[in-house]
Amino acid sequence: QVQLVESGGGLVQAGGSLRLSCAASGRTFSGYAMGWFRQAPGKEREFVAAIRRNAYYADSVKGRFTISRDNAKNTVYLQMNSLKPEDTAVYYCAADLDSTGYYYNLGTYDYWGQGTQVTVSS
């Protein structure tokens, strides 16, 4: 069983920055692929970023968001810069225990956090 706990969400003005954190349980965290997804009201959950050996991004966030991980702290981060109102959503982190499957596919991931709200005002 893997538990994921997100933090760092909040309210920010357009153009501002936030850093999300996701703390994971489990002794083999370094072997997990980790992803960030988001879900806006009335919309489906969508891929934002993932990290395996490399980092991957949705086109909508490329150049503005950065995913990283600290295996010593069992934590994955999402640094979000130049935020836009359309980035407003609940952000979820997810763990793929065997690092297989398509990184942008929700079904690839085995465990999910509870989500953290990000609101960007115009």
Side-chain angles (χ1 to χ4, degrees):
Q1 187 77 6
V2 174
Q3 291 187 322
L4 304 173
V5 179
E6 301 100 333
S7 61
L11 173 65
V12 64
Q13 288 188 332
S17 298
L18 282 174
R19 188 177 81 156
L20 305 183
S21 300
C22 173
S25 64
R27 287 180 285 182
T28 56
F29 174 79
S30 61
Y32 303 162
M34 299 297 296
W36 285 97
F37 290 77
R38 66 187 182 187
Q39 188 166 17
K43 295 189 177 182
E44 294 185 349
R45 194 171 298 189
E46 64 176 9
F47 168 74
V48 175
I51 187 164
R52 294 178 173 177
R53 291 186 179 181
N54 298 314
Y56 305 91
Y57 299 94
D59 288 343
S60 60
V61 307
K62 202 171 293 183
R64 301 187 297 122
F65 291 11
T66 303
I67 188 171
S68 62
R69 66 191 301 162
D70 184 337
N71 290 333
K73 295 183 178 180
N74 279 17
T75 301
V76 63
Y77 304 97
L78 186 68
Q79 178 66 44
M80 306 185 295
N81 298 329
S82 302
L83 283 161
K84 304 176 181 180
E86 51 263 44
D87 295 317
T88 295
V90 177
Y91 283 71
Y92 299 89
C93 73
D96 170 16
L97 301 192
D98 56 9
S99 295
T100 61
Y102 295 111
Y103 58 83
Y104 50 81
N105 189 338
L106 276 73
T108 293
Y109 295 85
D110 304 295
Y111 293 95
W112 293 81
Q114 82 288 350
T116 186
Q117 176 71 47
V118 171
T119 303
V120 184
S121 64
S122 58

